[in-house]
């Protein structure tokens, strides 16, 4: 079980943060990859709302293929938190919500030097994000894999 | 608005208030006061000052909403009515420590007033006669509400209609709902 990557998008589609911990497939163009991811999620969200049996459409939480899972959390302000992991991690949308509440709000929203819409440069945000992800139970396998190979 | 929901929000406001870090009310009142004085020195015309205060409030509001959502745990609101109630019962309590109420709904339910008796920003303030009827001292609050709601796709217009500093018996902010922004496709040039 591993965590591959993290994306953070705002409502306009700007990728505010991208972090990867292990991405086996080489990406040729990071911007294109981010745009694609945002586009997929935007369409998927609308699709989920349309198919929903209840009136308030409900929230997309994650989707899984046989190779990976994508976990999603969207705040009321349109911030989209995305985590790509391997299978078997369970639903991590709650973790993304915690990242929003405890990491993003404290280090980015309260940072007067941060301009909304620009990518996040704050070292504090990045290091807190790293430590939150590394503290997840499903992250440990990354380290083991690295030391044995 | 059912009273059970109202009391749930009151409790939520109280809980969020007790969880928050407190600052001295005097510090806030005096800092805000010197702030307004500086703006008056820069802009002089009360109308300009009011606009500037509202703009400052807007910049605060667009960030404050995230803090509010984080601390209160509230998700999406189902109607403008609900939003107005939450602003007055939860947000005013959480950030200003005062209880506000919503009243004066019009028939289409798109305009209401938030009424509050205490204003911690205006604690030691007396307006000189030349500003009493033109300066909206706490106009920053109107900007905060407008900015915060805009981040959750609700466009409103906010205005002070009654101000205790002008001699009225209470403080009243009128909020008019203008529109709800729909989710837009951000770019459709290449895709």
């Amino acid at each position: 079980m591993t965590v591959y990557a993290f994306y953070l998008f705002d409502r306009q589609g700007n990728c505010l943060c991208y972090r990867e911990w292990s991405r086996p497939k080489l990406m040729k163009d990071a911007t294109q990859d981010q745009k694609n991811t945002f586009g997929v999620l935007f369409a998927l969200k609308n699709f989920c709302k349309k198919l929903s049996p209840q009136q308030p459409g409900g929230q997309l939480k994650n989707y899984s293929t046989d190779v990976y899972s994508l976990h999603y959390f969207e705040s009321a302000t349109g911030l989209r938190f995305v985590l790509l992991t391997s299978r078997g991690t369970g639903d991590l949308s709650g973790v993304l919500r915690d990242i929003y509440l405890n990491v993003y709000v404290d280090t980015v929203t309260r940072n007067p030097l941060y301009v909304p819409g620009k990518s996040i440069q704050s070292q504090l945000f990045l290091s807190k994000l790293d430590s939150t992800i590394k503290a997840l139970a499903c992250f440990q396998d990354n380290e083991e894999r690295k030391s044995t190979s | 608005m059912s009273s059970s929901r109202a009391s749930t929000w009151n409790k939520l406001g109280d809980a969020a208030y007790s969880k928050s870090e407190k600052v001295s009310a005097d510090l806030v009142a005096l800092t805000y006061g010197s702030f307004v004085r500086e703006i008056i020195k820069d802009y002089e015309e009360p109308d300009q000052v009011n606009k500037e205060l509202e703009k400052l409030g807007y910049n605060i509001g667009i960030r404050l909403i995230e803090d509010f959502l984080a601390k209160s745990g509230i998700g999406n609101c189902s109607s403008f009515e609900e939003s107005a109630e939450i602003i007055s019962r939860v947000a005013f309590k959480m950030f200003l420590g005062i209880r506000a109420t919503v009243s004066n709904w019009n028939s289409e339910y798109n305009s209401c007033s938030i009424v509050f008796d205490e204003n911690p920003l205006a604690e030691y303030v007396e307006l000189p006669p030349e500003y009493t009827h033109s300066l909206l001292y706490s106009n920053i609050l109107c900007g905060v509400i407008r900015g915060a709601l805009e981040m959750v796709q609700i466009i409103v217009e906010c205005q002070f209609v009654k101000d205790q500093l002008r001699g009225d018996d209470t403080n009243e902010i009128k909020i008019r709902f203008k529109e709800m922004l729909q989710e837009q496709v951000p770019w459709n040039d290449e895709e």
Side-chain angles (χ1 to χ4, degrees):
Chain A
M1 287 198 296
T2 62
V3 178
Y4 297 134
F6 169 83
Y7 297 78
L8 171 52
F9 296 100
D10 70 0
R11 183 165 262 143
Q12 276 71 41
N14 301 313
C15 183
L16 305 178
C17 179
Y18 169 70
R19 296 289 278 176
E20 68 179 46
W21 292 276
S22 79
R23 199 93 189 252
K25 187 164 85 172
L26 267 179
M27 270 191 313
K28 275 168 268 173
D29 180 4
T31 342
Q32 201 51 44
D33 171 67
Q34 285 156 15
K35 274 195 175 164
N36 283 340
T37 313
F38 182 81
V40 165
L41 290 171
F42 187 81
L44 194 56
K45 202 176 70 130
N46 286 338
F47 184 62
C48 290
K49 240 196 302 194
K50 289 209 175 97
L51 276 184
S52 170
Q54 291 179 337
Q55 198 3 285
Q59 300 281 344
L60 169 66
K61 296 180 89 162
N62 62 55
Y63 77 76
S64 302
T65 71
D66 56 345
V67 169
Y68 73 95
S69 291
L70 178 143
H71 307 265
Y72 180 81
F73 171 75
E74 183 175 340
S75 77
T77 49
L79 282 172
R80 292 143 157 101
F81 292 74
V82 181
L83 208 56
L84 283 178
T85 67
S86 63
R87 295 300 309 278
T89 55
D91 178 34
L92 296 182
S93 56
V95 169
L96 291 174
R97 185 166 181 272
D98 284 339
I99 291 178
Y100 168 58
L101 300 183
N102 301 327
V103 181
Y104 181 85
V105 168
D106 284 344
T107 60
V108 179
T109 313
R110 291 179 185 208
N111 179 1
L113 302 177
Y114 171 68
V115 178
K118 294 268 151 58
S119 84
I120 298 173
Q121 305 294 336
S122 158
Q123 290 307 313
L124 192 57
F125 171 76
L126 297 173
S127 66
K128 274 191 166 179
L129 174 65
D130 263 348
S131 48
T132 313
I133 297 292
K134 289 190 174 149
L136 293 174
C138 52
F139 190 82
Q140 285 163 6
D141 288 358
N142 262 351
E143 308 283 298
E144 288 163 22
R145 292 238 256 73
K146 273 201 191 136
S147 55
T148 53
S149 56
Chain B
M1 189 63 36
S2 68
S3 57
S4 64
R5 285 216 287 181
S7 61
T8 322
W9 288 324
N10 281 344
K11 282 206 206 87
L12 200 57
D14 292 337
Y17 177 68
S18 51
K19 263 195 296 182
S20 318
E21 234 178 74
K22 312 278 187 305
V23 276
S24 151
D26 288 353
L27 180 61
V28 172
L30 295 174
T31 309
Y32 186 67
S34 37
F35 210 37
V36 177
R37 251 205 344 270
E38 282 305 304
I39 297 182
I40 293 178
K41 253 200 276 183
D42 287 340
Y43 289 87
E44 286 179 39
E45 284 296 305
D47 279 336
Q48 277 292 93
V49 175
N50 293 339
K51 267 207 207 92
E52 196 60 30
L53 286 173
E54 210 267 352
K55 208 166 63 157
L56 281 162
Y58 177 80
N59 287 327
I60 294 178
I62 59 180
R63 291 170 187 256
L64 198 71
I65 180 72
E66 316 258 12
D67 197 30
F68 173 71
L69 291 171
K71 292 236 184 70
S72 66
I74 289 183
N76 289 323
C77 290
S78 55
S79 64
F80 176 61
E81 216 183 310
E82 201 175 318
S83 310
E85 289 280 342
I86 287 181
I87 293 176
S88 63
R89 289 179 198 279
V90 188
F92 264 67
K93 181 71 190 184
M94 201 196 307
F95 294 115
L96 295 172
I98 58 179
R99 172 84 63 221
T101 53
V102 184
S103 62
N104 286 352
W105 282 104
N106 70 350
S107 51
E108 292 107 42
Y109 274 91
N110 58 7
S111 163
C112 67
S113 295
I114 293 189
V115 181
F116 51 104
D117 286 327
E118 299 169 55
N119 183 359
L121 297 175
E123 193 64 43
Y124 305 112
V125 179
E126 234 179 66
L127 290 181
E130 62 264 32
Y131 291 120
T132 318
H133 291 287
S134 47
L135 181 69
L136 297 168
Y137 185 81
S138 311
N139 213 27
I140 202 169
L141 294 177
C142 292
V144 173
I145 295 175
R146 182 174 72 90
L149 285 176
E150 190 170 306
M151 291 301 279
V152 288
Q153 309 282 70
I154 302 176
I155 309 291
V156 296
E157 257 173 23
C158 271
Q159 230 182 326
F160 258 97
V161 294
K162 281 202 194 153
D163 192 346
Q164 279 169 333
L165 292 176
R166 288 201 307 214
D168 297 319
D169 54 343
T170 184
N171 301 300
E172 186 177 324
I173 298 180
K174 193 172 178 76
I175 307 186
R176 204 169 65 85
F177 173 78
K178 288 181 69 186
E179 65 175 309
M180 181 123 209
L181 290 178
Q182 291 305 324
E183 191 76 57
Q184 282 173 346
V185 183
W187 17 249
N188 43 20
D189 37 1
E190 301 124 327
E191 308 285 302

